[in-house]
Amino acid sequence: MSAPSLSITRRIRSTPFSRRVEAAGVKAYTVYNHMLLPTVFESVEADYHHLKRHVQVWDVACERQVEIRGRDATRLVQMLTPRDLRKLSIGQCFYVPMVDETGGMLNDPVLLKLSEDRYWISIADSDLLYWVKGLAYGLHWEVDVIEPDVSPLAVQGPKAEDLMARVFGEAIRNVKFFRFEPFEFDGHWFNIARSGYSKQGGFEIYVDGTKLGEPVWDRLMEAGQDLEVRAGGPNMIERIEGGLLSYGSDMTRANTPHECGLGRFCDTFTAIGCIGRDALLRVAAEGPVRQIRGLTIDGDGVPPCTTPWPIYGEEDGEDELIGMVTSAAWSPDLATNVSVGIVRMTHWKPGTSVTVETPAGVRTAKVRTLPFA
Ligand code: THG
């Protein structure tokens, strides 16, 4: 069976780095925020090993920014999330659940505070722009809500800091986790954060405009030759090992942040003004009845999870449906299948034995804590 290919048209937006990504031999894309997101260069496993040893440059332009600017910007951003934003300072990033009026997850972006009246919401895969624009219009508040021409380029892996220091200077080493600062490139200033969708460490360059995309890419590739720099992308195996969640896969509008294990990013009692606050107060106090967990699945490598796989557990001597697996991959380093799923509280204790109905057959599995590694 040959893998189907993707019909690319204008609707599936290219990025300032797309020509370089193709020249680097991209083998697979996914679509994220209506934009190309490269996922495989050599193979998922080879890319995984390389990411954990060296350094990669990722076209993550699909992490689009929703910019909120104006006198009421802070008030509007606080409406979107149960995380208390009074603790967010200029130059800082927060990972924030964003919820609707029922407390359902709309997105799980990284929020950047650029100034007292200006924010970037670096979104996951959902059309958050329309929700925010609708609110701003309906409230008649003094804010502009736009998608600026900003394209993140991630540099990830254990050698990321050395590579970044060569291109942007030694001062990059002083940028702390989830902080950002402007750095100069050919007379232009880019915000650079220590962040990214891997657990291997690294940075994200918010490349402003389209013109400089290829020059930045080229400079990183030239400077990193002896570091074995390569093109890469968010890696399914590494992100599951690291317990990084994927909106649309591991969580949807049907889940509260607490079910997603994102309760530590919620201050529901003090987040006054948050749209979903009333709905979340009860679950924040009582806790959820199902929650995201890791699961190791026995046997050989399972195929990717494209529709949820049922999880069964024993209850009063009978096998009952107690959850579903939403992402899975074979982990070469852990020598088992690692997966993410949502599990009912009766079975969510780490170490609990369950069975998972995978396309490769029914498998025994064990509930684990996230992250795996
Ligand atoms: N970087 C930026 N934008 C993004 C992502 C990113 N937008 C889309 C997507 N990724 C949003 N989802 C996540 C998920 C996890 C993290 C960041 C964005 C993350 N989590 C860390 C963790 O869970 O260990 C740290 C969270 C913390 O401690 O604050 O980094 O990757 N720009």
Side-chain angles (χ1 to χ4, degrees):
M1 196 174 70
S2 75
S5 69
L6 190 68
S7 300
I8 302 174
T9 62
R10 188 185 184 201
R11 284 187 306 97
I12 301 177
R13 300 177 288 179
S14 295
T15 86
F17 319 110
S18 288
R19 293 200 307 189
R20 292 296 186 264
V21 163
E22 275 178 36
V26 63
K27 289 211 178 110
Y29 288 110
T30 187
V31 176
Y32 196 97
N33 286 322
H34 315 277
M35 198 172 231
L36 289 170
L37 170 58
T39 51
V40 184
F41 283 85
E42 194 179 336
S43 69
V44 177
E45 286 203 12
D47 293 352
Y48 156 90
H49 289 302
H50 181 272
L51 170 63
K52 287 182 140 190
R53 284 172 183 63
H54 304 292
V55 53
Q56 296 182 349
V57 176
W58 296 2
D59 173 359
V60 284
C62 66
E63 296 169 356
R64 303 312 293 166
Q65 308 306 300
V66 173
E67 176 168 328
I68 304 184
R69 185 175 203 161
R71 201 175 53 112
D72 293 315
T74 298
R75 202 153 57 122
L76 183 56
V77 182
Q78 185 64 79
M79 278 190 91
L80 306 174
T81 178
R83 187 153 180 191
D84 191 338
L85 299 182
R86 287 175 299 187
K87 301 171 206 155
L88 177 65
S89 40
I90 295 167
Q92 191 175 13
C93 310
F94 263 8
Y95 179 43
V96 291
M98 292 201 163
V99 298
D100 67 11
E101 75 286 0
T102 72
M105 290 288 296
L106 292 179
N107 206 289
D108 68 328
V110 174
L111 174 66
L112 290 80
K113 183 168 183 174
L114 303 170
S115 69
E116 283 307 333
D117 62 357
R118 188 171 172 225
Y119 296 83
W120 280 347
I121 307 174
S122 186
I123 61 171
D125 189 21
S126 78
D127 295 315
L128 197 78
L129 182 71
Y130 303 145
W131 167 252
V132 183
K133 282 181 81 71
L135 287 171
Y137 177 78
L139 290 162
H140 305 285
W141 280 1
E142 211 175 287
V143 283
D144 281 330
V145 182
I146 60 159
E147 182 181 306
D149 183 13
V150 167
S151 295
L153 185 66
V155 178
Q156 301 285 301
K159 302 181 193 165
E161 189 179 292
D162 289 337
L163 175 55
M164 289 295 284
R166 292 181 189 182
V167 176
F168 294 98
E170 288 295 315
I172 202 91
R173 298 187 192 275
N174 303 326
V175 177
K176 294 199 171 69
F177 184 65
F178 265 49
R179 298 276 169 168
F180 67 90
E181 283 172 36
F183 284 84
E184 199 243 22
F185 181 87
D186 285 356
H188 294 77
W189 293 82
F190 299 144
N191 286 323
I192 301 183
R194 192 185 285 268
S195 59
Y197 198 65
S198 88
K199 286 291 202 176
Q200 306 310 310
F203 297 84
E204 290 180 300
I205 309 163
Y206 290 81
V207 178
D208 210 325
T210 303
K211 240 183 26 230
L212 289 167
E214 292 181 353
V216 177
W217 177 285
D218 293 342
R219 195 78 60 83
L220 288 163
M221 289 298 179
E222 283 155 24
Q225 272 187 24
D226 61 308
L227 302 177
E228 293 186 54
V229 65
R230 276 183 26 182
N235 184 276
M236 175 74 89
I237 311 169
E238 195 274 346
R239 75 101 180 151
I240 296 175
E241 282 181 2
L244 297 174
L245 306 181
S246 178
Y247 185 79
S249 288
D250 303 321
M251 57 189 150
T252 70
R253 229 165 58 220
N255 303 114
T256 64
H258 301 277
E259 289 177 353
C260 303
L262 301 180
R264 66 187 187 283
F265 302 112
C266 297
D267 314 280
T268 311
F269 297 100
T270 61
I272 308 295
C274 165
I275 289 175
R277 184 169 175 268
D278 289 349
L280 287 176
L281 279 172
R282 190 178 48 82
V283 57
E286 295 174 9
V289 296
R290 51 180 188 170
Q291 197 170 53
I292 279 183
R293 285 287 181 272
L295 295 103
T296 48
I297 302 175
D298 300 335
D300 356 313
V302 290
C305 183
T306 55
T307 56
W309 300 341
I311 308 174
Y312 297 97
E314 213 182 77
E315 210 163 273
D316 306 324
E318 309 258 339
D319 259 2
E320 294 283 345
L321 184 70
I322 57 96
M324 59 189 190
V325 165
T326 51
S327 299
W330 173 260
S331 161
D333 286 349
L334 301 178
T336 182
N337 291 295
V338 289
S339 71
V340 175
I342 197 140
V343 179
R344 266 188 12 210
M345 68 187 300
T346 47
H347 291 76
W348 71 19
K349 210 173 117 218
T352 305
S353 294
V354 294
T355 58
V356 178
E357 200 177 314
T358 81
V362 175
R363 301 280 185 89
T364 53
K366 260 201 173 62
V367 176
R368 308 284 179 186
T369 52
L370 286 174
F372 287 96

